[in-house]
Amino acid sequence: MRVVIAEDLFLLRDGLTRLLQAHGMEVMAAVETGTELLAAVTADPPDVVLVDVRLPPTFTDEGLRAALEARRVVPGLPVLVLSQYVEQLYARELLAGADGGIGYLLKDRVMDGVQFVDALRRVAGGGTAMDPEVISRLLTHNAGNSAIAALSPREREVLGLMAEGRSNAAIAQRLVITERAVAKHTASIFLRLALQPSDDDNRRVLAVLAYLNG
Amino acid sequence: MSVMRTDPAEGQHAWSIESPRALAGLAALLGLAVLGLVTLAAPVALLLANLLVRRDPGSDYLGLWALTVFSLVPCAVVGLRWVAGQRVWASGAVLAFPPATALAAVVLYQRRPPGADHGAVWLALPLLLNTVAGSRWIADRARRLFGACLGVPIASPYRPAPASGTAVSHGQRAVARAEWLLTDPATWRDVLWVALNSGVGAVLVAAVSRLVAFGARWHVLDFRPGLLIVPLLVGAAARFRFGWRLLRSYGLLTAAVLGPSKQAELAQRVDHLAQTRAATIDSGAAEMRRIERDLHDGAQARLVALGMTLNAAEQLFESSPEAARSLLTEAKDSSVRALNELRALVRGIHPPVLADRGLVDAVHALALDLPLRIHFTGDLAERPPTALESAAYFAVSELLANVTKHAAASQVWIEVGHTDGMLRVVVTDDGRGGADPALGTGLRGVERRLAAFDGVLAISSPSGGPTIATLEIPCELSSLKTSFY
């Protein structure tokens, strides 16, 4: 799998490169700025882009804007955005008009290499990876929603993991239950929230996120 | 600046010509003119009479003395109370009594003032003080009257009253107050306006009575009471044709004379700035202490613990790899917690989204984290200055925290905008209402934060809701250069 990294801190850029190479990925380019990222992506589109929100020269949300611009230039380009902090606002902007291939994670998540690479693969495969913190805040924001309040605690747990972008198999493994039990919970959630059921993992994730974002 | 509690139904509106208040206001103005005439003319008349009228020894009237003392003593008491700051609506009007008595005495008793034989100068001094105090009272009424008429309140121009704590005895306090009263230029401008107002009033009255006399002499109308109709008609016509414009122009003149002068405005401004600067420095220092404490007890302590755990893991590495592994897991968790704490701390100092995107998006991001249905509208053409942006953000943050904590609301409406040189944020919720800045420290804090930028917070929160909190900060927008692809 071919990856382009945009990260301005040398230590992190180097660490990410080594982590990804250790997991058998090819780092095509590791750049420092948004403009360099755009140049690298348009020259030869990779399988996935890994980008930090804050990049020089402005050190604001340059990386995020570069990511959105890259997706405009190369439609459907999978992008995983890393950040020192997460905001629902940015998650919404990334998800707007996207049908997958979007990830938004806290930088802390790179400490768990296996999980992180798993998320990156998911995004590269057209899936979604939302940070648990984004999702927990999204669920808090929906605290007044009576349909969600009516879910059982386990169902809410499944809803949260689903919104993070995890597949049924991953949810089953995480909650130590069978995949069939997960499927049952998912069906129940979709019924209660009046969502169109689907067998496709990614469609389900996007439907749930769209529902939570109201 | 202070937190104002406003009622939406109770805004200041300029009078319209049809308004019955306009007529009542005119009547009040006439009353003030008469009162001013009496207050101002009395001491002058008394002095002149004393100086010019030929003295006739031995014809002092005892009754006159009694009358004078009878009217002076209670008025002196009320007047002193008023000067001492215990203002009652009627107390100012009572100040006109002694001069009125003096005038009556001059007119009634053979144009001779009480105590004329012994020199009435002793009366002139208290009467002058009366004039000053009375003028201020009249000017105060006029300020309110024209404030309501123009729809823009006329600010009080006086210097702040001396603090009562510095004076020990009642006497010292009275002297301090008298000095404050007499040395304030605004007092003398009050006297000037009262003279002007009374002069204009007197000229008008004289003109009307002349007109009537003129009509009578030339037999313009045979029926004498009918003569009154002429000036009344002229007056009414003038009122409907020019009256409104005249009244407004007069109001503007009054505002110019009675409002704060440039110097007084500057003095008040300096006072306000000194206060807010002190508050800002205090809160800045408190904030630094809080950050220091948070770092010391939080991330710093966690990093020390992390180092110790890693050290222990290193020592166990050979002898007990399993124990070392569990220590490493612990170290990893510890570093995650340290990161979380640092993140929370950074959000409290300067939220990254505010730095990245500015106020509108930062407030939107804040709203998205609320456990409520939100209706957000926000638009700023350019970014306000950074410090102001930050103050506005934390003020809104506090308001929203109040909504979630106390209001029991299900929905919140947030509007961010900039009009007429004012940055304005309105937070409305459908909660239970009854928010009162006097009760909580949170709203006081918001008030202090805003005061440093001359901002104000207005809260309308009737019991039962809804609560509307509006914050306004005067600011010019400046564009911040950002790069675009």
Side-chain angles (χ1 to χ4, degrees), chain A residues 61-207:
Chain A
D61 60 343
E62 187 143 346
L64 184 75
R65 281 183 283 147
L68 289 172
E69 180 64 16
R71 274 179 74 89
R72 204 181 57 75
V73 177
V74 185
L77 176 75
V79 171
L80 175 61
V81 176
L82 283 179
S83 176
Q84 205 69 261
Y85 64 99
V86 286
E87 287 292 347
Q88 286 191 62
L89 189 73
Y90 293 177
R92 281 174 171 236
E93 286 174 15
L94 281 167
L95 286 169
D99 57 352
I102 287 291
Y104 183 41
L105 293 179
L106 270 178
K107 273 190 184 170
D108 310 14
R109 309 299 170 207
V110 301
M111 287 199 289
D112 190 336
V114 180
Q115 287 259 10
F116 177 71
V117 170
D118 179 55
L120 189 64
R121 283 192 206 281
R122 208 158 69 224
V123 172
T128 312
M130 286 289 135
D131 198 89
E133 181 156 344
V134 176
I135 301 305
S136 81
R137 278 152 76 171
L138 195 53
L139 288 174
T140 312
H141 178 57
N142 280 282
N145 185 324
S146 56
I148 291 179
L151 297 178
S152 73
R154 188 27 75 87
E155 280 168 349
R156 238 169 296 163
E157 226 171 339
V158 172
L159 177 72
L161 289 169
M162 197 157 48
E164 284 174 25
R166 293 173 198 273
S167 65
N168 276 5
I171 295 172
Q173 198 190 354
R174 176 72 175 268
L175 296 179
V176 204
I177 50 177
T178 62
E179 239 181 282
R180 273 190 54 179
V182 175
K184 221 178 75 192
H185 287 310
T186 323
S188 163
I189 291 167
F190 271 65
L191 194 67
R192 299 249 189 126
L193 303 187
L195 294 174
Q196 198 64 42
S198 163
D199 286 339
D200 179 38
D201 275 346
N202 189 37
R203 285 246 184 89
R204 275 199 318 235
V205 171
L206 291 175

Side-chain angles (χ1 to χ4, degrees), chain B residues 214-374:
Chain B
F214 180 79
R217 196 181 312 154
W218 292 96
H219 299 285
V220 179
L221 286 172
D222 274 343
F223 178 51
R224 276 204 150 211
L227 286 178
L228 278 173
I229 290 174
V230 179
L232 278 181
L233 278 181
V234 172
R239 180 179 114 71
F240 282 110
R241 184 68 187 82
F242 307 111
W244 183 236
R245 217 179 305 158
L246 268 176
L247 190 64
R248 275 193 74 89
S249 318
Y250 194 49
L252 288 174
L253 176 76
T254 302
V257 178
L258 292 186
S261 67
K262 203 81 199 157
Q263 205 179 4
E265 256 175 20
L266 281 175
Q268 285 182 352
R269 184 98 189 105
V270 167
D271 258 13
H272 172 70
L273 287 178
Q275 272 176 24
T276 54
R277 187 181 67 162
T280 308
I281 291 171
D282 280 354
S283 74
E287 192 76 339
M288 293 299 260
R289 272 197 303 280
R290 183 186 66 81
I291 293 167
E292 186 270 336
R293 214 171 33 239
D294 281 3
L295 279 174
H296 185 266
D297 299 346
Q300 211 173 349
R302 289 218 184 279
L303 286 175
V304 171
L306 185 67
M308 283 161 64
T309 313
L310 287 174
N311 190 37
E314 190 184 27
Q315 282 174 2
L316 288 172
F317 200 68
E318 297 291 332
S319 59
S320 168
E322 269 314 302
R325 180 188 292 274
S326 84
L327 280 176
L328 284 176
T329 313
E330 196 183 302
K332 201 165 80 175
D333 291 348
S334 190
S335 76
V336 168
R337 275 197 294 275
L339 277 171
N340 283 336
E341 271 164 20
L342 281 174
R343 200 157 26 236
L345 191 62
V346 167
R347 267 174 88 94
I349 298 168
H350 193 74
V353 66
L354 181 63
D356 294 358
R357 291 288 186 87
L359 188 64
V360 172
D361 277 359
V363 170
H364 192 187
L366 200 59
L368 283 174
D369 286 344
L370 294 179
L372 302 168
R373 265 176 69 87
I374 57 156

Side-chain angles (χ1 to χ4, degrees), chain B residues 156-210:
Chain B
S156 176
Y158 305 121
R159 288 178 189 158
S164 52
T166 51
V168 188
S169 69
H170 281 282
Q172 274 174 312
R173 200 173 307 163
V175 168
R177 305 255 341 168
E179 194 187 341
W180 163 69
L181 194 72
L182 291 175
T183 53
D184 193 341
T187 304
W188 300 104
R189 288 220 311 275
D190 285 358
V191 174
L192 177 74
W193 184 85
V194 170
L196 183 81
N197 187 47
S198 300
V200 170
V203 168
L204 280 179
V205 169
V208 169
S209 55
R210 273 289 120 186

